Amino acid sequence: MREAGSAVIFKNNRPKYLLVDLSQEALLELTDDEKIEIVAKRILEKHRKAFEELAR
């Protein structure tokens, strides 16, 4: 369990859901462009070798 209004819900003794206080969740305050930038960065990092090969 985290502080600041968040709770983890377990199913079959494993964490399954995260309940958050929407007024305190910074990710929800990002603009759409900021969210896209975060996802694009993750994809680039995950597939860096493939992108480098395509760049040749």
Side-chain angles (χ1 to χ4, degrees), residues 17-34:
Y17 304 99
L18 178 62
L19 182 64
V20 297
D21 181 351
L22 294 177
S23 67
Q24 295 182 6
E25 185 57 43
L27 182 60
L28 297 175
E29 295 177 11
L30 295 175
T31 65
D32 288 343
D33 287 341
E34 290 170 324

Side-chain angles (χ1 to χ4, degrees), residues 2-4 7 12-14 17-18 20 24 27 37 39-41 43 49 54-55:
R2 293 182 350 182
E3 290 184 17
N12 297 325
N13 292 326
R14 292 189 163 179
Y17 304 99
L18 178 62
V20 297
Q24 295 182 6
L27 182 60
E37 186 176 329
V39 172
K41 183 178 178 183
I43 291 170
K49 289 183 182 181
L54 289 170

